[in-house]
Amino acid sequence: MELKQQNAAPTRKVMAGTLAGALVTLLVAFFSDQVPQLAEPGVGEALVTLISALISYFVPPGVNDGIVQTSP
């Protein structure tokens, strides 16, 4: 049994996580001069990963984000 998305478009959860990651990346770059801890190696990357994962987790799936079963 194979499970697939109904279409090839990214799901709402994926798009929310992607946009959150991009936004946090820009914020870390912008505020790294004012907050020196953000310039430390790995800190910005960890924030991007953590926040984008949390956003992706808490955003509910969209109406068209269903999974369909394909024939065996």
Side-chain angles (χ1 to χ4, degrees), residues 4-71:
K4 297 179 88 175
Q5 283 184 204
Q6 290 179 352
N7 54 40
T11 65
R12 188 163 79 170
K13 295 172 84 63
V14 170
M15 287 305 299
T18 302
L19 291 174
L23 180 62
V24 173
T25 300
L26 292 173
L27 289 173
V28 166
F30 181 76
F31 287 112
S32 63
D33 291 338
Q34 289 84 15
V35 183
Q37 292 84 359
L38 290 177
E40 293 292 323
V43 173
E45 293 87 351
L47 282 173
V48 170
T49 302
L50 179 65
I51 292 173
S52 61
L54 285 172
I55 295 292
S56 297
Y57 180 79
F58 285 110
V59 168
V63 175
N64 296 324
D65 292 345
I67 302 295
V68 294
Q69 180 180 347
T70 60
S71 58

